[in-house]
Amino acid sequence: MHEYSVVSSLMDLCETHAKKHNATKIEKVVVSIGERCGMDKQLFMSAFETFKEELDICKEAVLDIVDEKVELECLDCKKTCTPPNLEYGVCTHCGSQSVRLIKGTQMQLLSLEMV
């Protein structure tokens, strides 16, 4: 249930950016959520709807979520790949198990549309 604390921090960040740019209203919040970041999108959206009501500048804001797929880097062949399923431990190019996650593990604020 960490979605609520993440959205609370997101709202603080939105408010900070709005003040910095002398905005009076935030119309759209765009975030990316990695498929392996442990974030429940439904809870995240619900928390956003709850928290935006408490912040005048965000009351009418729309949330746009961009899904970020997992991307792996192979430590053997040095190529990157997006696994076609939940096989996050194997390079799709050479079959090596020496891989590391380089994308898909984070949640990020991508943009704000402000007036």
Side-chain angles (χ1 to χ4, degrees):
M1 189 74 97
H2 66 284
E3 288 80 4
Y4 281 83
S5 62
V6 170
V7 171
S8 178
S9 296
L10 174 64
M11 289 300 182
D12 291 343
L13 189 58
C14 289
E15 188 174 34
T16 299
H17 281 293
K19 286 179 181 176
K20 180 179 178 183
H21 297 283
N22 298 316
T24 57
K25 180 179 174 184
I26 295 175
E27 295 181 332
K28 189 174 188 179
V29 178
V30 182
V31 297
S32 69
I33 297 180
E35 67 181 331
R36 296 291 295 169
C37 79
M39 192 73 58
D40 182 304
K41 285 185 216 169
Q42 294 301 320
L43 280 176
F44 188 88
M45 291 186 296
S46 175
F48 181 84
E49 292 301 316
T50 299
F51 278 95
K52 81 177 192 176
E53 293 301 320
E54 297 176 11
L55 194 58
D56 286 336
I57 201 163
C58 285
K59 281 197 187 293
E60 297 176 32
V62 174
L63 175 65
D64 186 13
I65 297 176
V66 176
D67 293 321
E68 183 180 80
K69 294 287 187 189
V70 163
E71 190 172 296
L72 304 173
E73 177 184 43
C74 181
L75 302 176
D76 290 333
C77 73
K78 307 298 184 217
K79 293 182 181 178
T80 61
C81 63
T82 301
N85 50 35
L86 297 178
E87 292 292 326
Y88 299 136
V90 178
C91 174
T92 59
H93 298 286
C94 72
S96 171
Q97 292 183 0
S98 296
V99 295
R100 68 182 177 108
L101 284 167
I102 57 172
K103 277 189 179 177
T105 60
Q106 299 179 351
M107 194 230 61
Q108 297 178 29
L109 172 61
L110 297 178
S111 67
L112 293 174
E113 290 182 16
M114 301 180 285
V115 178

